[in-house]
Amino acid sequence: MKKHLLFGLLSAAVFLVGCAHRPATHPTDEPFRSVYHHSPEANWMNDPNGMFYDEANGVWHLYYQHNPFGTTWGPMHWGHATSTDLLTWEEHPIVLYPDSIGTIFSGSAVIDKNNTAGFGENAIVAIFTQSERIGQHQSIAYSTDGGYTFTKYEGNPVLMGDIADFRDPKVTWDGDHWLMTLACQQEIRFYASPNLKEWTYLSSFGKDLGAHGGVWECPELIRLKCENEKIGKCENEKIGKCENDKYVLLVSINPGGPFGGSATQYFVGDWDGREFKCENGKCENEQMNWLDYGKDNYSTFTFHNSPDGRLVAIGWMSNWQYAEVVPTVAFRSQNTIARDLFLFTDDEGEFRLGSVPSPESLALRGEETKYLPDAGIVELELDGKQDALVTLSNDKGEKVVMNLDVHRRTFSMDRTASGDCSFSHDFAARTVAPLFVKRDTYKVLLFIDHCSIEAFDAEGAWSMTNLVFPSEPYNHLDVQGGEAKIYNVKI
Ligand code: FRU
């Protein structure tokens, strides 16, 4: 079936609705400012850092790599934003400034419920890398006002680097002690601590395993509960049976991603309290696992203390190949929408890490509309028996072409004619995701914002995040081989 939705004239009303969606926290009204994705008010941002959920106040805290002096990477600080809905963000003052130990690189934060560090019950403790010319070290800082201001620990650094790349500590509670996952060149190291101040080396992982086209960064060890109904979430008949909890190790890599530049790979395996081992030695084959099959989802982390044991994750929505030259003006970079991570088994019976838009992100769906506003959500139902072609375009002829190939069992997105690609020869690209699970009907969700398209298998078997810079908003949607529902964005 061919369904052609053509909206040659975007009415002034629709345009005004689009503008009204822009959160008041963004002073500049530039065309590529995201409507419902977090972006810094001004200047440069890369990785999300230290994310945690304050359950007493229902507030999500997001810190981020920030250069307050310009729109390219520079001396790193931790910027800060909060949200109660994961869609609209309030900016707060910078929480961590460089000092004599170094600038402030990526890291994590925990709520120290039992006062193990002695900074006070429920103190928020940030663990981060300090980078200087001759090395990288791990430091800590604490907050006793719920994460709005931090004091650096006078005994910093708490873990001295012994190699050049020694960074991005992600700390979690592992039964009766803290566990740090750290990126060290092209390996991951694990350290344990009773109090966040003294750290003991446990083990290393990654030599000759997975992708090694670049430096490893921003790791996270995630525990996935052994709940078979969740593992079978993709309604796959071969539901995997697990007896123990599974662990997934996220490792960002730059360069060396599947479509060039930076990307996030993962390993599924087991954690015995000391060592991470891949599921059935699976990492030894050549196959890499990617969290997202687009070019623009890097250094993905989960929020510490997410409600109901969920794994709510956000990634940096850009790529080191061109992040510093994209055509935004007052700021550079935004984060992805929040996604919930989970484990499922694919048609070959392999465990895979899936991501679905978080319920908070799905709450964006406003009224169903026949208009395609400049920010919206599209739900596609594509027939699993024939190929489908989905084209988003504007009156200038700029377009993004998506293709469901039922024989190759792939979904692809081609942004080579999507708008401005001139700022970097690495930008024009076609990205391809394996479908992983065969279905009669493929439901695909498209989250469209002013400079991004995030495509999801509606059940989370794959996701694909790509930036786009059209000179006018896309206002046509053409679907061959399926049907589409369009929703306005509700903020
Ligand atoms: C990843 C990264 C991290 C580092 C930070 C510096 O994008 O290179 O490894 O901590 O950015 O800004």
Side-chain angles (χ1 to χ4, degrees), residues 46-47 65 73 76 105-106 167-168 217-218 298-299 316 320:
N46 53 292
D47 318 345
Q65 284 290 280
W73 192 84
M76 284 293 116
F105 272 24
S106 286
R167 59 175 181 264
D168 307 340
E217 303 183 313
C218 302
Y298 194 58
S299 50
W316 177 48
W320 278 114

Side-chain angles (χ1 to χ4, degrees), residues 82 138 341 382:
T82 56
Q138 317 320 314
L341 307 183
L382 306 175

